[in-house]
Amino acid sequence: RVKQDGRNAYLFYDDSMLTDTQRALDLDGRLRQAISNNIIEIHYQPIFDLETNQIVAAEALMRWNDDKLGFISPEEFIPLAEKNGLIHKLGEIAITQACHQAARWQSIMPIKISINFSSVQFRYCEKLLAQIQQGLESSGLPANRLDIEVTESLLFNHTQDVITLLNNLRKQGVELTIDDFGTGYSALSYLQKFPFDKLKIDRSFLIDIDQNEPNRELVGAIIAMAKALNIHVVAEGVETRWHTDFLLEKECDYGQGYYFSKPLPADLFEQLLSKARVPQSVA
Ligand code: C2E
Ligand code: MG
Ligand code: MG
Ligand code: MG
């Protein structure tokens, strides 16, 4: 098809572009519905201490299983929600649900809960702080059980408000993690300039690492550098025994991935936690 624009030039577009636009429109409407019908869920993926094999944390991952459209990946709806502004509402849902679940789980095991925040949510730092405060207060979850995951893009183009907020959270005891480390503008200065406790090595580095010598070197170097700066390291996308052995050898602190467990709905995660619970020694 051909479309004429105002300057007498022709712009070509094909059906796939039309379909993309239609899909975005459909998703937009359905996402609003999903939010007001309360069908957005949070699933939980355990994070393990590689040395002790204990669950130390859970990452909260958003799930949208639409009545009409079926399962929609967060890789698709999060970027959309960042554009249409729904991300702020989704953020509130994640904080509320995850803090309440984590607070309940403390009596089974004192795990941390990691919640993802996109850079767009930091455009309104005051609102974001209020949401986090509200999540902690209403659930009773101690601040030092909460871990906030942000990506490097937040740091690349940050405002003073962002620095103030991160410092404020850190002072309250909230942990800060750089997610997807190595995929953005990984300036090493970020690690010193901002009060991060942890970095997560992106899954893409592990995928073919058993056959990829440069990636092995890179992962080893990231872990060594983090150690030198007193920053803990989580590897995401741990899928094989080979991965865990390699990471242990490089003294990576934590691992998360299908080798251990996929993200689970709250009730199944709770079962996993109960089974993994270390029996208290009788004094
Ligand atoms: P992320 O924060 O980097 O989350 C890790 C992703 O890797 C998750 O995908 C998880 O299911 C997947 N994963 C974990 N272990 C493995 C593995 O061993 N193999 C493979 N192939 N994948 C693994 P998911 O749940 O589809 O989430 C995708 C992204 O969507 C997240 O990446 C995060 O950036 C975003 N996201 C998810 N939930 C939220 C949320 O509540 N708020 C915000 N702002 N973003 C979210
Ligand atoms: Mg994450
Ligand atoms: Mg990640
Ligand atoms: Mg990732």
Side-chain angles (χ1 to χ4, degrees):
R1 258 177 281 154
V2 177
K3 179 176 177 275
Q4 199 168 11
D5 85 358
R7 291 161 304 156
N8 259 346
Y10 289 99
L11 296 171
F12 290 85
Y13 64 92
D14 59 26
D15 284 345
S16 77
M17 284 164 76
L18 194 67
T19 318
D20 286 354
T21 314
Q22 191 54 52
R23 169 90 175 161
L25 277 173
D26 286 350
L27 286 179
D28 188 291
R30 294 301 304 169
L31 185 54
R32 281 167 211 280
Q33 276 290 311
I35 291 172
S36 58
N37 293 344
N38 272 320
I39 62 159
I40 301 293
E41 276 186 49
I42 307 295
H43 283 196
Y44 301 87
Q45 188 177 33
I47 300 173
F48 286 75
D49 181 318
L50 291 170
E51 195 76 50
T52 64
N53 256 311
Q54 290 296 307
I55 299 176
V56 291
E59 179 172 11
L61 294 160
M62 197 167 278
R63 293 292 176 262
W64 171 22
N65 207 341
D66 192 73
D67 308 337
K68 291 208 178 95
L69 303 171
F71 177 80
I72 317 283
S73 164
E75 310 263 15
E76 187 173 13
F77 73 80
I78 296 287
L80 175 83
E82 288 171 349
K83 286 195 202 99
N84 66 18
L86 290 174
I87 191 69
H88 304 289
K89 184 65 198 159
L90 290 178
E92 193 184 348
I93 293 171
I95 295 165
T96 310
Q97 283 196 32
C99 286
H100 277 82
Q101 285 298 348
R104 280 175 39 119
W105 291 332
Q106 292 305 301
S107 61
I108 308 176
M109 217 187 275
I111 57 163
K112 297 196 181 199
I113 184 83
S114 297
I115 305 181
N116 291 287
F117 289 85
S118 68
S119 305
V120 176
Q121 292 172 265
F122 282 84
R123 276 192 205 147
Y124 306 98
C125 285
E126 253 175 64
K127 191 171 160 183
L128 184 56
L129 180 64
Q131 282 182 348
I132 295 169
Q133 224 75 270
Q134 171 69 20
L136 290 173
E137 275 159 31
S138 67
S139 67
L141 184 74
N144 67 3
R145 304 282 92 191
L146 176 62
D147 176 5
I148 283 178
E149 295 191 7
V150 301
T151 56
E152 291 158 315
S153 65
L154 176 69
L155 313 176
F156 178 63
N157 221 340
H158 65 276
T159 58
Q160 183 56 43
D161 279 2
V162 169
I163 302 187
T164 307
L165 174 60
L166 293 178
N167 283 322
N168 182 339
L169 290 168
R170 193 65 204 91
K171 242 184 269 151
Q172 295 183 48
V174 173
E175 255 190 33
L176 302 176
T177 297
I178 305 188
D179 201 356
D180 302 340
F181 189 82
T183 58
Y185 303 88
S186 310
L188 299 184
S189 59
Y190 292 156
L191 294 176
Q192 288 208 299
K193 195 160 162 199
F194 299 94
F196 285 99
D197 305 279
K198 261 198 279 113
L199 65 81
K200 260 194 187 188
I201 301 177
D202 193 67
R203 186 153 62 81
S204 56
F205 292 102
L206 279 192
I207 289 174
D208 61 346
I209 200 164
D210 49 333
Q211 301 150 58
N212 189 326
E213 169 73 20
N215 272 358
R216 278 204 292 281
E217 293 295 330
L218 212 53
V219 168
I222 293 174
I223 295 169
M225 174 203 64
K227 279 216 170 325
L229 294 170
N230 239 327
I231 291 171
H232 287 113
V233 183
V234 190
E236 68 177 17
V238 179
E239 293 191 352
T240 62
R241 177 64 195 266
W242 200 98
H243 287 162
T244 47
D245 289 346
F246 170 80
L247 292 165
L248 256 175
E249 185 201 306
K250 296 290 176 194
E251 296 183 30
C252 180
D253 304 290
Y254 309 110
Q256 171 186 5
Y258 296 171
Y259 177 73
F260 299 109
S261 167
K262 291 202 169 184
L264 302 168
D267 55 341
L268 293 185
F269 182 84
E270 186 166 320
Q271 281 179 27
L272 181 79
L273 212 54
S274 302
K275 276 190 213 136
R277 178 184 189 164
V278 194
Q280 296 297 305
S281 59
V282 187

